[in-house]
Amino acid sequence: MNTAHSITIIGNGVAANVLGFYLRKSERFKDAYIAKVYDDDLFKPCSLLTTSHNCLRNAQRGLSDLGDKLVDAADEFKSFYENYWPRGVHPCPHKHYWREDYAKAHKLARRYRGLEYKSTEIPYFPSDLSTSLWTADNEAYVIESEYYLKWLEEQTKYNEIRVESVKSIDDIKSDIVVLCTGQYTRYFADIFDNDQHVNGSKPVAGTYLEFKYSDFKETNEWFDKGFCFDLEEVNVVFRPLTQTVLIGATSTLNKNNYLDDASVNSMYQKTAELLNGTLNLPSLEKGRYKTGIRHKGHRRLPFWGKINDRTYAVYGLYKNAYTFANLAAKDLLSII
Ligand SMILES: Cc1cc2nc3c(=O)[nH]c(=O)nc-3n(C[C@H](O)[C@H](O)[C@H](O)COP(=O)(O)OP(=O)(O)OC[C@H]3O[C@@H](n4cnc5c(N)ncnc54)[C@H](O)[C@@H]3O)c2cc1C
């Protein structure tokens, strides 16, 4: 294995920025010429249109390839967090709540394997829930993407950052090129030695609502720390630095436009109903609708590895990009 002297990363999302950081902190690449090229106006990064939080929700090793990867990735993220204390990352307890008659209650019971219990307790607010719900406890990290990505970029000290749209990898003069291009990776399919996985990947749009914390009446110590919890399939995330509360998100396969999914309104209604008397949501009109396009890999599996002679790729990180990005970077370091 030779050490590359110059590496160009295409992309400016979480995959790109975590990889840049790992390269720069590594013994082999600390002095390499590391460049980052992206065009976020033309290719909107999903990493800034996201409810980004990391939570395993009792995923276990030994059940599926995806589960194994996720648990390995969560371990890697934890040790990264404890080493570097990155800006914009807030560890917090996470709770998952659901009603007895929730259509997917059996799936959640299977997921939590008897660890679930009935409770009205909700730690983030002064008063408890008005009705008792099935509850499961997890650990999580709320990740404020803008702060986190900026911090990663500062730490990496890129030799060069270019805002430009890449049409052909041949135009890039460096020893190694890494595509961290999210759902747009499909447009590079012709340079893959084996294009089966990338051609089997799909865009999946997600819409969520963003509220300003100043539009809420309640206050609590958790509003300084950050928190997240699930009400059935709805994620509620509070970001303390940006002072916003996110509620969502929808999931529409094969949709890659930025039009809002109206079904986010029913997520808002459910959240308002279940939190009634505990947290009063601002009116729906106060919410800002935001849509991001995730990238679902073939068979839901993420990909990181070599795709041709001098090119590598990280893509298909789907709903767990903020966890997977670290394991992807760590693994790439051992094969580049
Ligand atoms: C509503 C919603 C909620 C989500 N919640 C979570 C969550 O809780 N936890 C989690 O881990 N994940 C979550 N995700 C998923 C996560 O946000 C994405 O999977 C992740 O951001 C993808 O990151 P990426 O770096 O792979 O790609 P992106 O962030 O999409 O970045 C792609 C980059 O490639 C660049 N690019 C592409 N093509 C070119 C080109 N030809 N030339 C130059 N530049 C190019 C773009 O400019 C961009 O910077 C959520 C997603 C959505 C939509």
Side-chain angles (χ1 to χ4, degrees):
M1 196 163 13
N2 294 318
T3 294
H5 296 296
S6 57
I7 301 175
T8 297
I9 300 171
I10 306 177
N12 191 33
V14 64
N17 283 296
V18 169
L19 177 62
F21 179 91
Y22 271 63
L23 287 167
R24 185 61 85 212
K25 297 289 173 193
S26 72
E27 201 42 50
R28 277 178 59 225
F29 299 106
K30 64 179 193 308
D31 299 320
Y33 188 93
I34 307 177
K36 180 168 74 163
V37 185
Y38 60 88
D39 189 343
D40 288 354
D41 289 337
L42 212 53
F43 306 101
K44 274 194 196 193
C46 186
S47 299
L48 294 177
L49 292 163
T50 176
T51 57
S52 48
H53 59 292
N54 290 357
C55 181
L56 273 182
R57 296 180 178 84
N58 208 34
Q60 307 269 339
R61 277 198 185 88
L63 299 173
S64 67
D65 284 355
L66 184 64
D68 289 356
K69 267 208 163 90
L70 201 49
V71 179
D72 288 349
D75 286 350
E76 176 56 27
F77 184 85
K78 187 169 196 267
S79 87
F80 158 80
Y81 174 77
E82 287 170 358
N83 252 325
Y84 297 106
W85 301 89
R87 194 164 68 223
V89 179
H90 315 280
C92 60
H94 172 280
K95 282 184 178 269
H96 198 160
Y97 297 99
W98 65 96
R99 287 169 290 193
E100 182 88 41
D101 59 356
Y102 176 47
K104 294 183 181 164
H106 61 290
K107 288 194 175 171
L108 292 178
R110 213 183 307 141
R111 169 173 284 276
Y112 288 108
R113 301 157 159 239
L115 295 173
E116 68 277 20
Y117 56 94
K118 284 250 176 118
S119 170
T120 55
E121 262 177 55
I122 185 154
Y124 325 102
F125 310 117
S127 41
D128 284 348
L129 296 163
S130 50
T131 40
S132 150
L133 296 175
W134 281 109
T135 310
D137 295 307
N138 298 298
E139 289 173 2
Y141 299 87
V142 166
I143 301 177
E144 303 202 56
S145 36
E146 279 163 43
Y147 286 85
Y148 179 51
L149 299 185
K150 198 80 212 139
W151 178 86
L152 288 166
E153 182 181 277
E154 284 164 16
Q155 297 285 312
T156 302
K157 297 188 176 41
Y158 287 95
N159 300 83
E160 188 183 349
I161 296 180
R162 288 203 315 274
V163 176
E164 106 193 3
S165 145
V166 177
K167 290 180 190 61
S168 163
I169 302 295
D170 297 341
D171 299 338
I172 295 176
K173 308 280 171 248
S174 59
D175 300 331
I176 298 285
V177 179
V178 190
L179 298 180
C180 293
T181 37
Q183 60 131 344
Y184 311 101
T185 310
R186 291 170 298 135
Y187 303 125
F188 290 102
D190 60 332
I191 64 161
F192 280 61
D193 285 344
N194 177 348
D195 62 7
Q196 192 199 7
H197 186 272
V198 73
N199 279 332
S201 68
K202 295 188 165 69
V204 183
T207 300
Y208 59 98
L209 290 161
E210 182 185 87
F211 291 95
K212 287 188 196 144
Y213 169 51
S214 54
D215 286 332
F216 285 76
K217 291 191 189 69
E218 286 85 355
T219 55
N220 192 267
E221 59 173 314
W222 279 101
F223 280 112
D224 295 327
K225 294 182 188 159
F227 60 81
C228 57
F229 60 94
D230 298 340
L231 295 170
E232 300 177 347
E233 77 289 3
V234 185
N235 307 140
V236 181
V237 179
F238 175 67
R239 294 178 160 180
L241 300 175
T242 30
Q243 296 274 296
T244 51
V245 177
L246 315 179
I247 296 175
T250 63
S251 206
T252 312
L253 187 66
N254 280 327
K255 173 175 178 272
N256 67 352
N257 68 57
Y258 290 89
L259 298 172
D260 308 327
D261 276 336
S263 56
V264 75
N265 294 2
S266 58
M267 293 190 165
Y268 168 86
Q269 298 301 346
K270 180 196 286 208
T271 309
E273 193 185 314
L274 290 176
L275 293 181
N276 186 24
T278 302
L279 179 77
N280 294 305
L281 300 188
S283 65
L284 184 57
E285 295 70 49
K286 298 250 182 201
R288 193 167 170 216
Y289 288 67
K290 289 192 156 182
T291 300
I293 318 289
R294 313 172 183 98
H295 189 210
K296 185 179 184 180
H298 186 51
R299 298 176 154 203
R300 222 188 144 159
L301 286 170
F303 177 91
W304 49 87
K306 192 166 187 168
I307 62 162
N308 73 30
D309 218 16
R310 62 156 189 154
T311 316
Y312 297 76
V314 181
Y315 67 88
L317 306 188
Y318 195 33
K319 294 188 173 179
N320 294 298
Y322 280 80
T323 312
F324 278 145
N326 295 66
L327 185 63
K330 182 181 170 213
D331 287 352
L332 279 187
L333 278 180
S334 63
I335 61 165
I336 287 181

